[in-house]
Amino acid sequence: MPSLNRRAFLATLGASTVGKLAGCSTIGTDDPPAGSLQFINQDSLPHAMQLAVTDVGSELNNETGTVAGDVPVPAPQRNLTATEQLSSEESTTYTDVFTEPVWYAVECTVDGQQTTQEEFQTEAMFHPAPPGREYVNYLQAVLRDSGQIELAVVTTDNSGRYTPSISK
């Protein structure tokens, strides 16, 4: 006859396994949530990286590469700045930075200076959950080993506070 300890162990093991399977969709996703900001320093020297919102809008103006339209967003989202001092090969991620479903025009500087080389993107248009699209995004500011900064809009599997729009 099996002991009660064995039965209790098996019941606990079974419940634990079911719980792990039920939560498997969130296991393994280390993506930052939509609306996050990630600073990455790939340079061999420490640097101060700064990101600033320069404008917000309801739509993206592809012709001029700007945002357009008035949107009611809180003042902190219009005047958002973030500065991070990073050592070599260090990164930091801030969640819930871009809290509104609007287009953000942003620019990034390193050590207080904007790059002058055209092949590096220091300005970007960013939306955490672009209208009519099935994906959500976070913003990444990467300082390359060349000392140049790049902004990248990165798709994430972690929707965070956003529900992606679905185009039809």
Side-chain angles (χ1 to χ4, degrees):
M1 181 161 123
S3 72
L4 290 176
N5 287 340
R6 182 171 179 257
R7 284 185 187 167
F9 171 74
L10 291 174
T12 303
L13 179 63
S16 170
T17 302
V18 169
K20 287 181 182 176
L21 291 175
C24 70
S25 63
T26 58
I27 294 174
T29 179
D30 291 332
D31 286 354
S36 294
L37 171 61
Q38 185 175 55
F39 288 111
I40 300 172
N41 180 7
Q42 295 178 341
D43 195 25
S44 60
L45 299 171
H47 291 280
M49 298 172 66
Q50 182 180 47
L51 184 114
V53 170
T54 59
D55 199 6
V56 294
S58 58
E59 60 189 9
L60 184 60
N61 186 339
N62 289 325
E63 290 180 17
T64 61
T66 60
V67 296
D70 290 329
V71 289
V73 298
Q77 288 291 292
R78 289 184 180 279
N79 305 312
L80 180 68
T81 61
T83 303
E84 184 64 29
Q85 180 72 38
L86 294 172
S87 297
S88 174
E89 302 299 324
E90 185 180 22
S91 68
T92 300
T93 303
Y94 296 100
T95 59
D96 292 323
V97 173
F98 301 98
T99 61
E100 304 301 314
V102 298
W103 286 98
Y104 292 88
V106 295
E107 89 177 350
C108 194
T109 58
V110 176
D111 300 327
Q113 298 178 357
Q114 195 170 13
T115 185
T116 57
Q117 294 184 6
E118 290 182 21
E119 66 267 21
F120 292 95
Q121 184 176 353
T122 60
E123 297 178 356
M125 304 309 129
F126 170 73
H127 196 301
R133 300 191 187 143
E134 297 179 13
Y135 55 86
V136 290
N137 305 309
Y138 68 95
L139 188 63
Q140 201 175 62
V142 182
L143 180 61
R144 302 289 180 197
D145 59 358
S146 63
Q148 300 299 317
I149 191 76
E150 259 184 81
L151 289 173
V153 177
V154 183
T155 300
T156 180
D157 290 329
N158 184 346
S159 60
R161 67 171 53 221
Y162 295 99
T163 302
S165 304
I166 298 175
S167 62
K168 298 189 182 195

